[in-house]
Amino acid sequence: MTNTAWLTGPPLDAQQTEWLLEKDDYLIGSEPPADLVVPLSRVERQHARIIRAGRSYAIHDLDSRNGTALNGEPLERPRRLRDGDTLIVGGHRLEVSDPIPGRAGGTVAASDPGVALTAEERATATALVAPYRSEGAFAGRPATRAEIAEVLHVSERTAQRRLDALAAKLDVPGESGRDRPRLIAARIIELGLDR
């Protein structure tokens, strides 16, 4: 069986927004000869590259001006792609789907995440990563505390306490500062805790 995965995103006019990854190397760019064409002004001609890494794939940013993010974290070095990962390429959201469970590099199944969440924590996790998961979303960031509070119908203070509890369970350090919500969101997506 060949090693394949899907990369999908919201519609881009008449352009293809779902790609089956079967080759060893893919160039992501704004126009041909890129293999995966994302024709947006914030995407460069040679923006990023996806390369087979063993039984899975890795993403590399090609020093693009507008950058590439993986699960909300700026891509500063090559990173392995996993099932459920969200890429932001020049502001365009793409989601990785790997149909083979247990493939090397895949995330832990949502039914066995290794981290037990309460119903409140799961709802908070889902609200935090919603900008990455929303159809047509171009957000390169997790939801704000105010957005989480609005979705969950709680105060911002309660939303912050729940985020603090998630950070503790996911071993995200308190001194992460402004990057803390993004680091929490990356762990949530990695472990499939919002599904």
Side-chain angles (χ1 to χ4, degrees):
M1 177 181 290
T2 59
N3 297 318
T4 61
W6 288 92
L7 193 61
T8 59
L12 285 168
D13 301 325
Q15 297 291 324
Q16 180 180 3
T17 57
E18 183 172 88
W19 298 280
L20 175 64
L21 302 180
E22 297 179 294
K23 303 186 319 181
D24 289 340
D25 188 356
Y26 292 89
L27 175 63
I28 300 175
S30 60
E31 60 188 56
D35 302 293
L36 310 176
V37 177
V38 181
L40 298 173
S41 60
R42 295 185 64 205
V43 177
E44 296 178 33
R45 288 182 63 212
Q46 296 187 7
H47 195 98
R49 188 171 293 282
I50 295 176
I51 298 174
R52 186 179 305 278
R55 295 183 45 125
S56 59
Y57 288 91
I59 179 85
H60 306 254
D61 183 75
L62 299 176
D63 295 325
S64 61
R65 285 185 309 276
N66 293 310
T68 304
L70 176 62
N71 300 327
E73 294 183 38
L75 198 61
E76 297 171 354
R77 60 181 172 80
R79 299 277 304 275
R80 189 173 301 273
L81 293 176
R82 300 169 187 215
D83 182 50
D85 279 347
T86 301
L87 290 171
I88 305 294
V89 178
H92 185 71
R93 181 188 56 81
L94 297 168
E95 192 162 312
V96 178
S97 174
D98 188 341
I100 301 174
R103 184 196 311 242
T107 57
V108 177
S111 60
D112 183 22
V115 176
L117 297 183
T118 66
E120 287 180 349
E121 289 167 339
R122 188 168 301 280
T124 304
T126 300
L128 179 67
V129 301
Y132 300 123
R133 303 285 197 201
S134 299
E135 191 64 35
F138 298 117
R141 61 163 182 81
T144 64
R145 184 178 55 214
E147 291 168 335
I148 293 168
E150 182 178 337
V151 167
L152 300 178
H153 306 290
V154 297
S155 69
E156 286 188 39
R157 187 174 184 170
T158 298
Q160 184 61 54
R161 279 197 317 269
R162 291 182 184 178
L163 286 172
D164 292 342
L166 279 173
K169 277 192 174 181
L170 299 172
D171 296 324
V172 175
E175 63 273 3
S176 305
R178 297 182 72 166
D179 286 336
R180 192 169 186 224
R182 193 174 47 205
L183 295 172
I184 297 168
R187 287 289 289 152
I188 289 166
I189 292 171
E190 177 185 344
L191 296 172
L193 296 173
D194 65 314
R195 300 231 181 224

